[in-house]
Amino acid sequence: MEFLAPIFAVAGALAAGVPLILHMMRRVPIQLLPFSLVQFLNPVQPEVTRRFRIDYWPLLLLRILALVLLCLAFARPFQRSTENVSGSGKPGRSIALLIDRSASMRRTGIRDAVLQTLRSTVENLDSEDCLRVALFSNTVTTVISAESWAAFSSAERSAAITRLCSKYMADWHGTQTGIALQQTAEDL
């Protein structure tokens, strides 16, 4: 198990001692009982003593558990796992390529660099790997979905990438990277 924010896991371990210390420092409550003959006695201040004995174990355990669970929730634990894309025993990777086609991609040389990166990424894929390709500017357009990539043969895959490279052209819209990342994360 791993944590996204491990500092909270450490803080939870340290915070678990706080209820124990507070239970140990609990003072005995002083009750004043009215009694008629007490008025003739000299007043004496009662001594406040600290008790180093825990009386309410279930309450102490519940408080410690509540603090630990709260810090554990803030630490956001997760378990890494790999998922097989194909039926083979070797796990495949799931790769998503987001290609920006906003107006900023109209600069000289950018188009060639993007297409070269796309080709080199596709060349480094194994047969078990799954690829998704999406173009985005102000909207996200999925060009190659995971299902269509899995259905393609090796020759069809290279033809699809060649078609994509020949049709790629930047538009004049602004970029909405956040929307593209969110949609791709949901697809993955």
Side-chain angles (χ1 to χ4, degrees):
M1 181 183 309
E2 298 179 52
F3 297 102
L4 289 177
I7 189 72
F8 287 108
V10 174
L14 295 176
V18 173
L20 180 64
I21 293 170
L22 292 177
H23 271 263
M24 297 295 279
M25 292 178 56
R26 183 178 63 88
R27 296 179 182 212
V28 179
I30 300 171
Q31 281 185 324
L32 297 176
L33 297 174
F35 189 67
S36 62
L37 295 178
V38 175
Q39 64 184 349
F40 299 113
L41 298 174
N42 291 331
V44 176
Q45 291 293 333
E47 291 184 24
V48 176
T49 58
R50 293 183 181 184
R51 297 173 56 188
F52 293 103
R53 196 179 92 224
I54 298 174
D55 291 332
Y56 304 106
W57 279 101
L59 180 62
L60 173 65
L61 293 176
L62 282 175
R63 287 177 176 166
I64 290 173
L65 181 66
L67 276 174
V68 168
L69 288 177
L70 183 66
C71 289
L72 188 64
F74 277 111
R76 298 181 64 189
F78 68 95
Q79 183 72 35
R80 287 189 190 266
S81 64
T82 58
E83 185 177 319
N84 283 347
V85 176
S86 64
S88 68
K90 182 181 173 188
R93 299 175 296 173
S94 186
I95 299 170
L97 293 177
L98 286 173
I99 302 173
D100 188 3
R101 65 173 178 183
S102 64
S104 63
M105 300 302 287
R106 289 189 167 267
R107 292 184 302 182
T108 307
I110 296 286
R111 181 180 189 276
D112 297 332
V114 167
L115 298 180
Q116 180 60 32
T117 303
L118 175 64
R119 287 186 185 108
S120 66
T121 302
V122 171
E123 288 171 4
N124 293 330
L125 293 177
D126 294 333
S127 60
E128 293 85 16
D129 293 339
C130 180
L131 179 71
R132 294 171 178 85
V133 180
L135 301 174
F136 73 97
S137 56
N138 61 344
T139 60
V140 181
T141 307
T142 302
V143 180
I144 300 174
S145 67
E147 293 80 21
S148 63
W149 184 260
F152 288 156
S153 67
S154 175
E156 291 173 328
R157 288 178 178 178
S158 60
I161 296 301
T162 305
R163 259 192 328 272
L164 173 64
C165 290
S166 66
K167 290 183 179 180
Y168 174 75
M169 183 58 69
D171 58 22
W172 289 102
H173 297 289
T175 261
Q176 295 292 328
T177 309
I179 295 170
L181 289 173
Q182 182 178 9
Q183 183 175 340
T184 304
E186 289 171 1
D187 290 345
L188 286 174

